[in-house]
Amino acid sequence: DGNYTFNAIYARADQTTWHRAAGPTHNLLSVQEQNCNNPTIHIKENDALVGTFTATTPMAEPAKVSMSHIYTLMQVNVTNATGAAIEVAKFEMTAEGADLAGIFNITAFDTPALTTKQNATSTITVDLTGGSVENDASLPVYFVMAPLSDYTGDVTFKVTDSEGKTYTKTV
């Protein structure tokens, strides 16, 4: 008899080095791809979940662990105000000095926190397929990034259409 704490991690299935590594690290991709006909299908591939469960043995039933996100799920609505329909090819978000993507370390399971480990980048790029937007309509762009906790700088959004024209907004 005794108490045992189980830490659970869920991430992209093909990141086997992350599942089998000695430390709880995860590679958050700086380039993500969105199929606009099924716009949220890619989120699971870039997301990571953690959970903790303390059990007393012998257990009467299998443990059930509640999972929580350790990354930010972001939605940005790209509104077309050009006067004509456009094909959107790429979306970029940049926060200079922030670590939006890279290899991160999970420092605690009970209260998950991220610390940059290596290859940090301040830009997230979403390659869009099927991103047709009529005039005055919006296209929701979904991506996963590290949290912007305590970030006080500007964030720049840049959209590139299929003709190579770019549209930029800084907030």
Side-chain angles (χ1 to χ4, degrees):
D1 290 354
N3 290 328
Y4 297 89
T5 299
F6 298 90
N7 292 322
I9 307 172
Y10 169 84
R12 184 173 172 158
D14 64 1
Q15 296 205 11
T16 55
T17 56
W18 180 71
H19 285 287
R20 299 173 185 166
T25 59
H26 182 64
N27 183 16
L28 181 58
L29 303 177
S30 60
V31 177
Q32 300 173 28
E33 186 170 323
Q34 174 177 321
N35 180 336
C36 296
N37 296 313
N38 191 356
T40 59
I41 193 170
H42 70 291
I43 289 178
K44 185 173 77 170
E45 297 179 347
N46 298 285
D47 192 17
L49 299 167
V50 297
T52 302
F53 178 82
T54 301
T56 302
T57 58
M59 295 174 60
E61 61 184 49
K64 295 179 181 178
V65 180
S66 296
M67 308 295 277
S68 61
H69 294 281
I70 61 170
Y71 299 137
T72 298
L73 302 175
M74 180 71 81
Q75 174 189 333
V76 176
N77 289 319
V78 176
T79 302
N80 178 6
T82 65
I86 61 171
E87 294 286 331
V88 180
K90 184 168 63 173
F91 171 89
E92 292 179 327
M93 175 182 165
T94 301
E96 291 299 334
D99 297 326
L100 303 182
I103 298 177
F104 294 93
N105 184 54
I106 304 168
T107 58
F109 282 93
D110 292 326
T111 54
L114 298 175
T115 57
T116 303
K117 197 169 185 190
Q118 62 188 35
N119 300 331
T121 177
S122 60
T123 299
I124 292 279
T125 300
V126 181
D127 292 324
L128 300 165
T129 57
S132 178
V133 189
E134 297 295 323
N135 182 48
D136 290 329
S138 294
L139 172 69
V141 178
Y142 299 92
F143 55 98
V144 181
M145 66 180 204
L148 280 175
S149 303
D150 302 321
Y151 182 73
T152 58
D154 290 337
V155 176
T156 300
F157 303 99
K158 182 168 84 171
V159 175
T160 305
D161 69 17
S162 59
E163 297 177 359
K165 296 177 185 173
T166 60
Y167 309 88
T168 305
K169 181 173 185 175
T170 300
V171 294

